[in-house]
Amino acid sequence: MHSYRGRAVAHEHVTFLRALIAARPEASRRALSIAVCDAWGWRQPNGTLCDAVCRGMLLSLHRRGTIELPPPRMIRRVAAWTRLRPQAIELDTSPFATSLRELGPIELRQVRRTPEEALVNSLIEHHHYLRYSQPVGEHLKYLMTASGRPIGAFCWSSAPRHLAPRDTHIGWSIEARKRNLRFVAYQTRFLILPWVRVPHLASHLLARMSAQLSADWQTLYAHPIYFTETFVDPERNRGTCYRAANWVPLGLTKGRGKDDQTKRQNRSLKLLFGYPLVRDYRVRLGAGDDAPSRGAFTEAAPR
């Protein structure tokens, strides 16, 4: 049996794929992927076909020699993962120092699939120490503005599949995690622009974000979010703004990354923080009766 991104591919699936390829010798790889998604009911909650995941699975099986795909219709001149870096966008970079009270109204806009998405990409690329990385799967991006000026950005994506501190805290079995992982969102980037100096702004934005995220996710992807998580590098900071916003540290990662094959540490350890968006998040996420009894979030969870 083969597994791709948590999806099991059994012998009968391989038999179906071989028969489909043989029956449609002129079909492109994308056409075959769409046919497989239709036949297997592979759709996102919003009805969109899981085409990208399916194509990746077919390519993985092809490279293993399990199936033989038709030759690609287009030959890329650069690697498939090569992307142009977001270009710098001219901004007012004059110092913006004030108090949170005097800052005035802050607008927090979801900009995924809007013209302002490019601005968020540029801000992250040129002002965040990790730079911009194109998300895979479900993701949202936010632009924060005040007094007509950008002050920061958020990026969110689908959660990593295996995080022991999170899975233990929720009380997930393997099957429960597979069924319900889509209800967890991962904050990949949080940026306040370097010329913005407003005490307590970061924790305020985190609280605003927690109140808005699930509804926006529902609008774009047709399902809510019950739990959020992010990583903090303890070598750089303590995660003070997360603690101030009632996020709770769940534990350290193992420092191996999501694609590790060696089971050896290959990067710095990160501290995982979590925050629930509903009080009964464990129930909604399918935790078993043996879920941990820790109540760290009882007072922090929104009403």
Side-chain angles (χ1 to χ4, degrees):
M1 179 179 291
H2 179 68
S3 178
Y4 180 77
R5 294 186 65 176
R7 298 173 183 263
V9 183
H11 176 72
E12 57 267 26
H13 297 130
V14 173
T15 301
F16 171 85
L17 294 174
R18 289 172 177 168
L20 177 66
I21 295 168
R24 302 183 58 180
E26 302 302 320
S28 67
R29 293 183 175 188
R30 186 168 190 273
L32 291 171
S33 171
I34 291 173
V36 172
C37 288
D38 279 332
W40 292 358
W42 276 15
R43 292 182 179 274
Q44 299 176 30
N46 62 1
T48 304
L49 294 175
C50 299
D51 178 42
V53 173
C54 187
R55 274 185 283 166
M57 179 203 69
L58 293 175
L59 184 59
S60 175
L61 292 171
H62 173 78
R63 288 172 173 169
R64 290 165 60 98
T66 305
I67 62 174
E68 185 174 354
L69 291 173
R73 298 286 177 89
M74 296 177 60
I75 305 298
R76 296 180 183 269
R77 296 183 181 275
V78 296
W81 56 85
T82 300
R83 289 181 179 270
L84 296 176
R85 307 302 305 183
Q87 297 296 307
I89 295 177
E90 187 173 350
L91 296 171
D92 178 0
T93 60
S94 59
F96 196 178
T98 185
S99 67
L100 187 60
R101 180 186 298 273
E102 294 173 345
L103 181 62
I106 300 172
E107 190 171 2
L108 184 60
R109 296 196 295 275
Q110 200 294 107
V111 299
R112 173 89 168 102
R113 299 177 181 170
T114 76
E116 289 184 309
E117 184 174 3
L119 175 56
V120 168
N121 296 351
S122 177
L123 294 178
I124 297 296
E125 171 69 16
H126 296 281
H127 300 290
H128 195 286
Y129 77 99
L130 292 175
R131 303 180 67 187
Y132 178 75
S133 178
Q134 177 63 27
V136 176
E138 297 179 357
H139 60 283
L140 297 182
K141 299 173 185 177
Y142 289 84
L143 177 67
M144 290 93 79
T145 61
S147 301
R149 295 178 59 180
I151 59 173
F154 279 107
C155 294
W156 296 84
S157 74
S158 304
R161 291 195 301 277
H162 305 291
L163 287 176
R166 173 202 63 202
D167 298 350
T168 299
H169 173 81
I170 292 174
W172 262 345
S173 66
I174 293 175
E175 290 304 316
R177 185 189 67 222
K178 289 180 179 179
R179 290 193 307 270
N180 298 294
L181 186 62
R182 63 194 176 100
F183 299 115
V184 178
Y186 164 44
Q187 185 192 109
T188 60
R189 299 288 189 271
F190 178 21
L191 169 71
I192 294 179
L193 290 168
W195 51 86
V196 177
R197 291 287 185 266
V198 180
H200 314 299
L201 176 61
S203 57
H204 173 78
L205 291 173
L206 285 168
R208 287 275 305 274
M209 186 75 265
S210 296
Q212 182 173 338
L213 180 66
S214 184
D216 290 340
W217 213 284
Q218 179 78 48
T219 298
L220 199 61
Y221 293 112
H223 70 83
I225 295 296
Y226 300 138
F227 193 81
T228 54
E229 62 192 21
T230 195
F231 295 124
V232 167
D233 187 345
E235 296 179 3
R236 294 183 62 91
N237 62 76
R238 296 185 60 252
T240 302
C241 66
Y242 292 99
R243 298 173 193 269
N246 288 326
W247 288 57
V248 174
L250 303 181
L252 289 169
T253 66
K254 296 180 180 179
R256 299 204 301 251
K258 65 179 181 179
D259 297 320
D260 171 64
Q261 301 295 324
T262 65
K263 297 189 177 182
R264 296 179 181 176
Q265 182 180 341
N266 54 41
R267 64 198 68 195
S268 63
L269 301 181
K270 303 299 190 299
L271 181 58
L272 178 65
F273 278 79
Y275 186 83
L277 303 186
V278 293
R279 286 188 175 277
D280 58 346
Y281 65 99
R282 285 195 176 104
V283 174
R284 299 194 194 201
L285 290 172
D289 294 338
D290 58 344
S293 58
R294 289 182 296 167
F297 292 110
T298 300
E299 297 302 322
R303 291 174 173 80

